[in-house]
Amino acid sequence: MINGAQIDDFKRFYFELDDNKPIQILLNRHENREEGWFDMHYEFELGVVLKGKMKRSYLGYDIEIGPGEVWFCNMWEPHGFEILEAPCEVAVFVIDPRYLATTLFLDRDMTSTFMVPPMDRPRTAVNLKGEIKNLAKKVQQRFSKKYDADWAKIYLFELLLFLMEEWKVPLQESNHGHRTSIQGALRLIFEEKRLITTKEAALACHMSVTKFTALFKDLMGSTFSDFALQYRVKGASFQLKNSNLTQETVALNWGFSDASHLHKYL
């Protein structure tokens, strides 16, 4: 529950991202303080405020952000916002986690910025607020005209480079553990379209099944098997809509025994 909203009542957004379009850019303008909603989605989310002020809410954590400041959202992480000063303009990057987990563009693990607890994610340094706001304005100007996948990547990496330059993944003494420790399992999900067992995933992370199961649930808010299933269903659904392959072929492509097995989850 966030601010009285039940998780089951959250909007669930589905963005049809793929290899050709791994990043979506959303340019939102909120005209009054009554605007706001709570949602969750599979994709990573990174947003910048250009004008006004908003409060971003997570499970057990709230943050107020203004021009030049950013927020992050993890995969399937319940989150919401309230407008504190209107009009409020934001530029939002919606990112396919598979793309960010496998790219080596910045020679570092960029997924960690999304997967640490909300309070530990990168914040805008005071001396960088102007530069980040200007970067967001460039995004607003370019993408208000047309979409360009290459520019979306360039702006995303530039923004992450600003934010990660002085930021390090925090070491956790608690049950959260090291947030990048499940990367092997995530890469296994993203790179193979098949049923992956929890034992396989634990092995990819060099952990016992017991330790991996507890850590994955702690980090992602769901079991590994449920998370992997949601990813395969999402991939199969996208392929059904955007290809001429038969239902049976798509089902087999994504590790389901047959079309009827897939349709149980659609």
Side-chain angles (χ1 to χ4, degrees):
M1 180 181 292
I2 300 180
N3 291 348
Q6 297 286 343
I7 298 298
D8 289 342
D9 296 331
F10 281 30
K11 297 179 181 179
R12 283 172 169 77
F13 291 127
Y14 297 91
F15 300 91
E16 295 190 343
L17 303 181
D18 57 20
D19 291 341
N20 295 321
K21 186 181 179 181
I23 302 167
Q24 175 68 286
I25 303 290
L26 306 177
L27 302 174
N28 297 333
R29 179 181 171 90
H30 306 285
E31 297 289 352
N32 56 68
R33 293 187 60 179
E34 284 69 43
E35 292 186 59
W37 58 76
F38 297 88
D39 65 87
M40 58 194 298
H41 44 75
Y42 159 72
E43 295 78 8
F44 287 141
E45 179 181 317
L46 171 56
V48 185
V49 175
L50 290 94
K51 183 178 181 180
K53 191 174 183 180
M54 62 171 31
K55 179 170 76 172
R56 306 294 308 190
S57 297
Y58 305 88
L59 294 173
Y61 181 72
D62 294 332
I63 181 174
E64 294 184 5
I65 54 176
E69 296 184 301
V70 302
W71 75 86
F72 290 80
C73 295
N74 196 4
M75 293 176 276
W76 297 118
E77 179 176 47
H79 59 273
F81 72 91
E82 299 174 41
I83 302 302
L84 302 178
E85 292 181 11
C88 183
E89 296 179 2
V90 299
V92 186
F93 293 82
V94 180
I95 311 140
D96 186 340
R98 183 174 59 91
Y99 173 72
L100 209 58
T102 56
T103 184
L104 297 176
F105 184 79
L106 294 183
D107 194 29
R108 65 188 74 184
D109 175 23
M110 291 173 284
T111 63
S112 59
T113 57
F114 299 87
M115 297 180 67
V116 296
M119 65 288 293
D120 292 329
R121 293 167 186 167
R123 300 288 302 275
T124 306
V126 174
N127 63 318
L128 289 179
K129 287 185 180 181
E131 290 190 72
I132 289 182
K133 181 179 176 182
N134 288 336
L135 174 60
K137 284 183 177 179
K138 291 179 184 178
V139 173
Q140 188 181 54
Q141 291 168 0
R142 179 172 293 275
F143 286 88
S144 62
K145 300 173 184 176
K146 66 175 183 177
Y147 179 84
D148 186 296
D150 291 330
W151 276 108
K153 295 174 186 176
I154 289 171
Y155 285 135
L156 173 64
F157 292 137
E158 186 176 355
L159 178 57
L160 284 171
L161 189 57
F162 272 130
L163 295 169
M164 296 181 72
E165 199 162 14
E166 301 295 331
W167 181 82
K168 290 182 172 50
V169 180
L171 296 176
Q172 301 287 331
E173 297 286 331
S174 69
N175 292 334
H176 288 290
H178 193 285
R179 290 275 162 160
T180 60
S181 59
I182 63 169
Q183 286 304 301
L186 293 176
R187 290 193 177 98
L188 198 58
I189 295 173
F190 299 152
E191 292 173 1
E192 302 193 28
K193 302 174 182 177
R194 63 177 178 85
L195 175 64
I196 298 166
T197 66
T198 302
K199 184 177 180 180
E200 279 185 272
L203 187 62
C205 296
H206 309 289
M207 297 183 201
S208 68
V209 171
T210 301
K211 181 179 179 181
F212 171 77
T213 299
L215 182 59
F216 195 95
K217 180 67 180 292
D218 184 38
L219 296 179
M220 305 305 299
S222 73
T223 64
F224 172 79
S225 58
D226 285 345
F227 182 88
L229 175 62
Q230 287 186 69
Y231 176 74
R232 290 193 295 127
V233 171
K234 177 181 180 295
S237 177
F238 181 83
Q239 194 169 52
L240 283 172
K241 294 177 183 176
N242 296 279
S243 76
N244 294 321
L245 296 175
T246 65
Q247 295 183 11
E248 195 72 21
T249 299
V250 170
L252 295 175
N253 279 351
W254 288 91
F256 296 94
S257 57
D258 52 37
S260 62
H261 183 205
L262 170 61
H263 276 283
K264 285 174 59 178
Y265 301 103
L266 291 177

